[in-house]
Amino acid sequence: MEIPVFTVDAFTNVPFKGNPAAVCLIENELRDDLYQSIAAEMNLSETAFITRRNSMDFSSGARFGLRWFSHKNEVPLCGHATLASAAVLFYLKKNVNPVLVFETLSGELYVRQHEESLIMDFPLNKPNPQAAVGDLPIQDVCYSKTTKKLMVRLADTCDRSELVSLRPEAEALLRNETTGKIKSLIITLKGAESTQSGYDFYSRVFAPWVGVPEDPVTGSAHTVLAGYWSEKLKKKKMLAYQCSSRGGEVKLEIRNDGRLDIIGQAQIILQGTLKI
């Protein structure tokens, strides 16, 4: 069996930045253990598997199956690997459809092209407050039950350099959370009005519970961040930056129907064939 495979840097317009994902084009469904073995071999934060629907090929079909696996397990929602998947279909396979529909564990996800960017139509996952500790380094703690993400907002007295300098220990996170209720820790900070960057907020994402010490740029975390910051900032359109070592810019727009458009670019940097 030969499977086309690609490495795509998502949420960036230059190679070796953003968040890399592997993308595999699958003619027919595989065994779950084979999906997992391939993801472990690719050893990226996520590997996406696109499957044809209704006997249509990857260039003419508008609807596809999509599953995401970390090197440890299947994940229910992944933004950067969805962006990477659409990039392969639109840019390499020259898919002729204006909108692609992906059937996933999180329902149907839609991706369309707009100029040099791709726009993903995702669910909006507003987190619920867990604690508010006033004018301390930690300002808010919220939790999204749907995505199992814990979001911690640093106080506005903190700056971007303090967020960048954080060094959470994966082992300590795993020891302190063993209930299975948390799969990802998001740390976020309001953008400084005095800077020229134009970013509304910054974030970093840590997910050792799924084998990812730090996720460089993640779309699924922004379904939570957008729900939180849109209410705090009273804005529907936001520009965010994820402060990992690779870095990545994410544009967000909350639609009138309550869903979220996640907008970003992607660079395809590797193309090959898996032989199994």
Side-chain angles (χ1 to χ4, degrees):
M1 183 193 312
E2 293 189 347
I3 297 174
V5 61
F6 311 86
T7 299
V8 184
D9 290 341
F11 295 117
T12 180
N13 61 356
V14 294
F16 314 121
K17 295 291 184 180
N19 198 357
V23 178
C24 297
L25 302 182
I26 307 295
E27 296 289 338
N28 299 292
E29 291 285 357
L30 306 176
R31 304 186 317 271
D32 281 0
D33 65 315
L34 187 51
Y35 286 118
Q36 191 61 71
S37 294
I38 293 171
E41 182 75 14
M42 301 309 298
N43 200 31
L44 295 173
S45 57
E46 267 82 25
T47 296
F49 297 90
I50 308 172
T51 309
R52 296 191 311 170
R53 291 286 188 263
N54 302 323
S55 299
M56 302 293 284
D57 62 30
F58 293 106
S59 299
S60 59
R63 180 177 290 271
F64 300 92
L66 180 61
R67 297 175 71 177
W68 312 278
F69 286 76
S70 75
H71 68 272
K72 289 185 63 176
N73 52 259
E74 186 170 12
V75 297
L77 181 65
C78 183
H80 84 279
T82 303
L83 191 74
S85 299
V88 169
L89 294 178
F90 278 132
Y91 300 157
L92 285 185
K93 293 300 178 180
K94 307 298 182 184
N95 193 284
V96 298
N97 294 283
V99 180
L100 299 177
V101 183
F102 293 112
E103 300 171 358
T104 78
L105 289 177
S106 293
E108 292 185 348
L109 304 177
Y110 306 85
V111 186
R112 64 189 187 276
Q113 294 188 80
H114 178 69
E115 298 177 349
E116 295 183 355
S117 297
L118 297 171
I119 302 177
M120 301 187 294
D121 174 355
F122 267 42
L124 183 65
N125 294 302
K126 294 183 179 180
N128 296 314
Q130 299 295 294
V133 291
D135 191 18
L136 295 174
I138 294 176
Q139 185 160 325
D140 282 329
V141 180
C142 301
Y143 176 70
S144 169
K145 184 177 181 180
T146 303
T147 63
K148 295 186 176 182
K149 297 184 188 297
L150 183 70
M151 191 208 79
V152 176
R153 175 186 173 183
L154 300 181
D156 295 346
T157 53
C158 299
D159 61 25
R160 177 177 171 177
S161 65
E162 292 173 283
L163 175 62
V164 172
S165 66
L166 288 174
R167 296 290 183 269
E169 293 185 6
E171 295 80 5
L173 293 174
L174 292 171
R175 284 196 306 268
N176 288 311
E177 165 50 40
T178 59
T179 67
K181 293 181 179 179
I182 297 174
K183 296 298 184 183
S184 181
L185 170 65
I186 305 167
I187 303 178
T188 187
L189 175 70
K190 182 181 178 182
E193 296 178 1
S194 59
T195 66
Q196 301 299 313
S197 68
Y199 295 121
D200 293 293
F201 63 88
Y202 302 103
S203 67
R204 291 178 68 189
V205 179
F206 306 92
W209 299 277
V210 295
V212 182
E214 180 168 7
D215 211 338
V217 193
T218 163
S220 61
H222 282 87
T223 68
V224 176
L225 288 161
Y228 175 84
W229 282 113
S230 65
E231 290 187 352
K232 298 298 181 182
L233 301 175
K234 308 300 181 185
K235 299 174 75 171
K236 285 193 170 184
K237 293 184 178 181
M238 293 166 286
L239 181 62
Y241 188 82
Q242 195 157 327
C243 300
S244 66
S245 59
R246 293 176 65 99
E249 185 176 282
V250 184
K251 295 179 182 179
L252 303 161
E253 183 172 350
I254 296 178
R255 297 161 26 153
N256 292 332
D257 62 4
R259 288 180 65 85
L260 174 68
D261 281 347
I262 303 176
I263 305 163
Q265 295 179 297
Q267 296 289 309
I268 300 170
I269 64 167
L270 185 148
Q271 180 175 351
T273 304
L274 283 171
K275 295 185 178 181
I276 301 173

